Amino acid sequence: MYKNIIDKKPALFERSDCNIWTDPYIQKQMLNAHLNQDSDGASRKQESILKTIDFISKYIKPDNRLLDLGCGPGLYTSLFKDKGYEVTGVDFNKASIDYAIEKRYDIKYICGNYIQEYPEGRYDAVIMIYCDMGTHSDKDRDKLLRNIYSSLDNGGVLIFDVFTEGIVEDKTEQKNWEYSPSGGFWAGNEYLLLSQTFHYVENKAFVYQYNLLTEGENKHFIVWDRYYSEGEITDILKGIGFRQVSAHKNILSGNNFTSNNEMFIIAEK
Ligand SMILES: C[S@@+](CC[C@H](N)C(=O)[O-])C[C@H]1O[C@@H](n2cnc3c(N)ncnc32)[C@H](O)[C@@H]1O
């Protein structure tokens, strides 16, 4: 009866036609989630954002040129700009970028896909916050890391966070139906949502698969969460050419949306 429901375990790093960050309706819900201070959904809460800014600021010098990959509505870029850095933010969620531009005309914002079109320019620091590195396939991650490396001046740093192997304590394989009679996060009107989580133990990845059923339309979303050991991510970064890599744990406050098992990585060119 229900056509086109895709409920089999996706192939490793398979992509869906629809994207939770760029879907015309969901991108606006994502913006609301970024701005909601009661939840760590989409962006971490302010307390953790401030701890992250303090941590990162130790590794970047005054007047540095900073690129924020996946900047969302600019919660970090605006604080870095206030600290005197020259800031560029890129994100492919148009609702978030429009909000960010509206808020701050003194920051350069680019609405685009940083994997497909890496922003031009030279940078002293590139940051990527909230485990976004883990949402990409290993192939796209390596392409991105090579572009980041090329865009950094010697002595420049890449700073990002990834989930550690401890995430397996917080996530389990599951399947769940949600019925929303008058719309909600996923659609403006009545919908049914099938959510599935699968674990790829050998590849250190989880996938979240969503089938969204609304009147007359089905949408299919796949979201990846790759996690790392300190040794693996260090080897990957050294393989790209970064000469010094360090991992830092327990930087943030507790998280009420996703796993608390993350580490920050500092990679120096
Ligand atoms: C988990 S959110 C984190 C946002 C922001 N770093 C923060 O912590 O407030 C991930 C962000 O990355 C963006 N994003 C994901 N993949 C992207 C890509 N390939 N190109 C541009 N933006 C991307 C999403 O639109 C989203 O705003």
Side-chain angles (χ1 to χ4, degrees), residues 12-251:
L12 185 68
F13 299 133
E14 186 179 327
R15 286 187 203 180
S16 51
D17 290 341
C18 304
N19 184 303
I20 56 165
W21 299 106
T22 55
D23 178 89
Y25 177 83
I26 300 169
Q27 63 172 263
K28 295 183 190 134
Q29 306 306 306
M30 286 296 186
L31 172 59
N32 293 336
H34 283 294
L35 302 176
N36 178 0
Q37 270 305 298
D38 297 329
S39 164
D40 286 294
S43 289
R44 294 190 176 105
K45 287 192 273 185
Q46 187 73 359
E47 196 185 343
S48 285
I49 292 177
L50 294 176
K51 285 183 178 178
T52 306
I53 299 276
D54 282 351
F55 172 73
I56 292 177
S57 300
K58 285 191 251 160
Y59 297 90
I60 48 180
K61 299 181 193 85
D63 299 327
N64 267 190
R65 295 155 300 169
L66 182 100
L67 173 66
D68 185 354
L69 297 172
C71 62
L75 303 179
Y76 294 83
T77 44
S78 49
L79 292 169
F80 280 119
K81 183 71 189 175
D82 290 344
K83 279 178 164 279
Y85 301 107
E86 190 188 317
V87 186
T88 302
V90 57
D91 204 291
F92 62 6
N93 179 338
K94 189 172 179 309
S96 286
I97 286 291
D98 285 350
Y99 174 93
I101 292 170
E102 183 79 12
K103 276 263 167 191
R104 295 290 291 252
Y105 287 94
D106 54 349
I107 295 172
K108 182 178 174 195
Y109 284 112
I110 302 164
C111 188
N113 185 323
Y114 55 65
I115 302 271
Q116 287 166 8
E117 269 180 273
Y118 187 80
E120 281 176 16
R122 310 279 324 150
Y123 303 98
D124 304 295
V126 175
I127 63 169
M128 196 178 193
I129 308 298
Y130 215 178
C131 301
D132 222 32
M133 193 67 82
T135 62
H136 303 296
S137 68
D138 289 2
K139 196 170 158 216
D140 280 352
R141 175 204 64 206
D142 290 346
K143 177 182 170 187
L144 177 64
L145 287 175
R146 283 193 294 273
N147 281 331
I148 292 170
Y149 186 83
S150 303
S151 73
L152 285 169
D153 279 349
N154 285 338
V157 283
L158 163 63
I159 304 176
F160 63 102
D161 53 340
V162 286
F163 288 119
T164 66
E165 290 164 304
I167 192 179
V168 301
E169 306 298 325
D170 306 325
K171 308 257 174 201
T172 49
E173 293 204 326
Q174 57 178 320
K175 189 172 190 170
N176 179 47
W177 279 105
E178 172 194 331
Y179 174 59
S180 191
S182 49
F185 181 86
W186 291 88
N189 297 311
E190 182 183 29
Y191 68 80
L192 256 179
L193 182 77
L194 169 64
S195 312
Q196 295 164 289
T197 306
F198 297 101
H199 190 187
Y200 301 68
V201 180
E202 305 255 301
N203 308 93
K204 293 200 176 71
F206 284 93
V207 75
Y208 314 105
Q209 174 164 255
Y210 305 97
N211 279 270
L212 175 65
L213 281 65
T214 54
E215 197 178 351
E217 193 178 24
N218 284 11
K219 289 183 183 176
H220 176 234
F221 302 89
I222 290 179
V223 182
W224 291 95
D225 247 351
R226 174 86 156 81
Y227 56 91
Y228 293 89
S229 68
E230 195 176 321
E232 185 186 9
I233 195 70
T234 301
D235 287 349
I236 290 166
L237 289 160
K238 291 222 163 152
I240 297 290
F242 288 94
R243 59 186 178 85
Q244 213 167 320
V245 179
S246 58
H248 307 257
K249 294 181 182 155
N250 303 318
I251 305 293

